[in-house]
Amino acid sequence: MNDRIARAALTRLFEPNDSIGRTLVGRLGTYAALRLATGAQPAHTLQDVTAEELAAALKRWTPRVPDLAPEKDLATIERLGGGFLIPGDEHWPAGLDDLPDAPLGLWYRGNIGNGIPDPSRCAALTGSRDCTSYGAAVTGDIAYSLAQRGICVIAGLAYGIDAHAHRAALAGSTGDGPATVAVLAGGLDRDYPSGNADLAAAVRANGLTLSELPPGSAPTRYRFLQRNRIIAALAGVTCVIEARWRSGALNTAHHAETIARHVAAVPGSVHSANSAGCHRLLKDGAAALVTDAAELTDLLAS
């Protein structure tokens, strides 16, 4: 079994950011980690992992072992017009290497020939699913202008701000590289939410949909939160356009700050709950105030 197949199997066996699984891979390599995690190799003492931690992890992984079929997963993604990237591949996004918990691999569908631009040429736009007309308008203006400038827009395909960002970026595409890339929290055999399936197809015609989870994986709240670190790592700046006080968009901004990426926020109405998260970032000095694509482009260049 080669490294690619082992990594494909581990993306099904381990949840994103499984610290014990990640430690096994770091200590043993992918193939030996897979053998130990599946019971094909007896468990043994490892530095940084206690016997209790390993036992709990093995108990957690055991129910998934019968479902491991990496060759089948790889064939499925190929049939869907995609593939599986691993570190060292030509199109592996270098920005992911800045994460302390980088994905073991990245499943993709779409136009890989255009590649994934360097973070210095990508901006993540994020915000409320139940965005206001103001948020939708600002997102459209910024995403369209970014695409016109050759900046790839990264978002999560969700309703609201994400969807407006993808659509506007596609409308502003100059045809030079991908205008937008969508990062999903589940397997790429099912576009989520299903109401954005046509949008996902349009994104793939120009760029890519990405996930660290293999085909057939269902999106969960935990996986959405972990997905956000990938969005942040792919982009040189994460811009929160609208967000409530407690919001997944703020989680994305936190991931960006953690890996020393720029964070920006758009101010909104003091009467809107959808602007409370942005105002919190600005008040705390955690984000730069921006109002248009030119200011985001300046941040990318700094």
Side-chain angles (χ1 to χ4, degrees):
M1 180 181 291
N2 61 32
D3 185 49
R4 189 178 308 276
I5 294 175
R7 285 176 179 271
L10 290 173
T11 65
R12 184 171 295 283
L13 189 63
F14 298 158
E15 280 292 314
N17 200 26
D18 186 317
S19 60
I20 303 302
R22 188 169 301 281
T23 299
L24 292 186
V25 171
R27 292 291 181 187
L28 305 175
T30 55
Y31 178 60
L34 179 62
R35 285 181 53 80
L36 190 153
T38 57
Q41 174 180 316
H44 55 84
T45 303
L46 289 168
Q47 186 177 353
D48 302 329
V49 179
T50 67
E52 292 77 13
E53 288 174 329
L54 183 56
L58 290 169
K59 184 177 180 180
R60 184 170 66 245
W61 299 327
T62 296
R64 299 184 178 189
V65 173
D67 296 327
L68 295 184
E71 292 90 346
K72 180 180 178 181
D73 288 336
L74 291 167
T76 296
I77 200 68
E78 184 176 352
R79 186 172 66 251
L80 293 171
F84 181 61
L85 297 173
I86 63 173
D89 282 348
E90 176 187 359
H91 295 298
W92 177 257
L96 295 185
D97 296 333
D98 293 333
L99 289 169
D101 51 356
L104 293 168
L106 201 60
W107 301 87
Y108 72 85
R109 288 179 66 186
N111 190 350
I112 193 63
N114 282 337
I116 303 171
D118 185 81
S120 64
R121 302 299 299 168
C122 292
L125 301 185
T126 185
S128 302
R129 287 173 171 79
D130 60 338
C131 65
T132 65
S133 58
Y134 165 80
V138 172
T139 302
D141 289 344
I142 290 178
Y144 181 90
S145 297
L146 285 171
Q148 286 278 292
R149 295 165 182 266
I151 304 298
C152 180
V153 172
I154 311 293
L157 199 69
Y159 293 130
I161 296 298
D162 284 17
H164 287 295
H166 289 306
R167 291 192 183 98
L170 290 170
S173 175
T174 62
D176 183 20
T180 186
V181 167
V183 186
L184 278 63
L188 298 181
D189 55 322
R190 180 178 62 167
D191 296 319
Y192 186 88
S194 59
N196 281 343
D198 288 344
L199 176 58
V203 169
R204 287 191 289 269
N206 173 272
L208 297 162
T209 54
L210 305 172
S211 178
E212 65 182 312
L213 293 153
S217 301
T220 65
R221 183 179 185 278
Y222 173 79
R223 289 171 175 176
F224 276 112
L225 293 174
Q226 290 303 309
R227 178 274 307 269
N228 291 342
R229 80 192 197 286
I230 297 178
I231 292 176
L234 292 176
V237 59
T238 290
C239 180
V240 183
I241 296 179
E242 275 192 330
R244 292 178 179 270
W245 189 257
R246 294 182 180 275
S247 167
L250 299 187
N251 174 259
T252 306
H254 171 72
H255 284 299
E257 181 183 26
T258 298
I259 57 173
R261 297 283 200 270
H262 292 294
V263 177
V266 175
S269 168
V270 296
H271 300 293
S272 173
N274 275 21
S275 295
C278 294
H279 295 163
R280 172 184 170 185
L281 289 172
L282 294 170
K283 183 178 180 180
D284 292 347
L289 190 155
V290 297
T291 58
D292 57 27
E295 291 170 342
L296 279 177
T297 303
D298 289 342
L299 282 177
L300 282 173
S302 66

